[in-house]
Amino acid sequence: MQKIAVLTSGGDAPGMNAAVRAVVRRGISYGMEVYGINHGYEGLMHGQITLMDAGSVGDIIQRGGTILHSSRSEEFKTDAGQQRGIDELRRKGIEGLVVIGGDGSFRGAQRLSDKGFSTIGIPGTIDNDISGTEMTLGFDTAVNTVLEAIDKIRDTATSHERIFVVEVMGRHCGDIALWAGLSGGAESILIPEVNVEITDVIHRLLEGNKRGKKHSIIIVAEGVCPASEIAQRIKKEAGLDTRVTVLGHVQRGGSPSAFDRMLGSRLGAKAVDLLREGQSGKMVGIQRNRITEVDFADVFTIENDIDLDMYELSKTLSI
């Protein structure tokens, strides 16, 4: 394989640039030509494909977002759109593609592979909702961003003796809420994977008040319900002074952590190695600190379970 390409698709995640850098420089080390595709699958269909060199990925490992930019494409979900993308790749003589993104991006990558075009995926999403890998690219940075916010919010919560409900991202996965909540000492953590009655949260708050506790942090994953609903219930049923903070897209930005820079570098290099070996239709991931490979079919069919032991631990430590 002499020519490969790389694109980023879907939501951006810290560490994507580290992965792009690794793909480009690993490929060059093998004597390959490496192309960058701008604006994801949409850019692929429109031929936004540029030859990259070692210098084009210099000074990016520390940057958040993605230098290749990203987008979502409805047209690429169609057979015609996918074939159009393959035609653009083959027009430049490109033989393999690395796709960095989440579940939707991988479904597009699988279809390219099914149509005979060699494709490898790198899990890049802050949500940590991809099966077959313990960590997705960007998750560690997002958790640390949330944790920094929790620490600051706790200062003002203590000063004013208030309850703060903090809403975090994650779609239908509660990992960001769980990891940041446990690390930040949140009094309650609400995640989609565990059904918790608001009355139980209120009960814990009132019990804490009886012990003299005047402030608390409640973390709610966006997949549960809006934080405003939780706050309204607490004010109405417990009469406690409550405020809401929705962290939003600040969680997707920022300089990647050391872990995400390392992970992006390792995954990017492994993706190139697999293409060089003639493999396709696989995702590279990490298990027990070892870089592994998983078929796309398994990624889509194996359930991505949350660590319920961590959840139980959070309840024990937040009394």
Side-chain angles (χ1 to χ4, degrees), residues 179-251:
W179 284 57
L182 177 58
S183 302
E187 279 69 25
S188 291
I189 303 172
L190 305 180
I191 57 178
E193 295 86 351
V194 180
N195 184 31
V196 177
E197 297 293 335
I198 304 304
T199 52
D200 294 336
V201 175
I202 293 173
H203 175 75
R204 289 169 66 87
L205 290 173
L206 293 176
E207 287 298 308
N209 270 11
K210 290 179 182 179
R211 301 194 310 271
K213 193 169 190 175
K214 300 299 183 182
H215 68 275
S216 292
I217 303 291
I218 298 168
I219 306 297
V220 55
E222 64 181 355
V224 176
C225 70
S228 57
E229 293 184 13
I230 306 295
Q232 289 169 5
R233 288 280 301 276
I234 292 172
K235 289 179 182 179
K236 180 179 178 180
E237 299 178 27
L240 299 174
D241 192 8
T242 308
R243 295 291 187 274
V244 172
T245 298
V246 179
L247 294 181
H249 285 75
V250 67
Q251 297 160 86

Side-chain angles (χ1 to χ4, degrees), residues 164-185:
F164 269 82
V165 183
V166 181
E167 181 181 315
V168 303
M169 296 175 78
R171 295 198 302 173
H172 302 296
C173 178
D175 272 2
I176 293 178
L178 178 56
W179 284 57
L182 177 58
S183 302

Side-chain angles (χ1 to χ4, degrees), residues 65 97 122 127 130 256 295 310:
L97 176 66
I122 294 176
D127 300 334
I130 303 294
D295 289 340
M310 284 180 59

Side-chain angles (χ1 to χ4, degrees), residues 8 11 26 36-37 39 50 62 64 79 97 106 114 117 136 143 168 200 228 243 258 261 263 269 282 301 303 319:
T8 52
R26 184 71 147 195
I37 301 171
H39 301 104
T50 305
Q62 80 282 4
D79 285 335
L97 176 66
F106 283 175
D114 290 343
F117 197 89
T136 58
V143 169
V168 303
D200 294 336
S228 57
R243 295 291 187 274
R261 298 183 198 192
L263 183 60
K282 294 186 176 183
T301 56
E303 187 173 353
I319 58 175

Side-chain angles (χ1 to χ4, degrees), residues 118-140:
S118 296
T119 311
I120 299 294
I122 294 176
T125 167
I126 67 169
D127 300 334
N128 206 38
D129 60 352
I130 303 294
S131 296
T133 183
E134 292 176 349
M135 302 278 275
T136 58
L137 200 54
F139 172 68
D140 183 73

Side-chain angles (χ1 to χ4, degrees), residues 9-47:
S9 174
D12 61 300
M16 280 184 166
N17 282 329
V20 170
R21 173 180 179 269
V23 169
V24 172
R25 292 190 172 177
R26 184 71 147 195
I28 290 174
S29 75
Y30 289 138
M32 296 176 171
E33 288 185 6
V34 185
Y35 293 79
I37 301 171
N38 285 289
H39 301 104
Y41 290 127
E42 190 72 17
L44 171 59
M45 291 186 298
H46 290 88

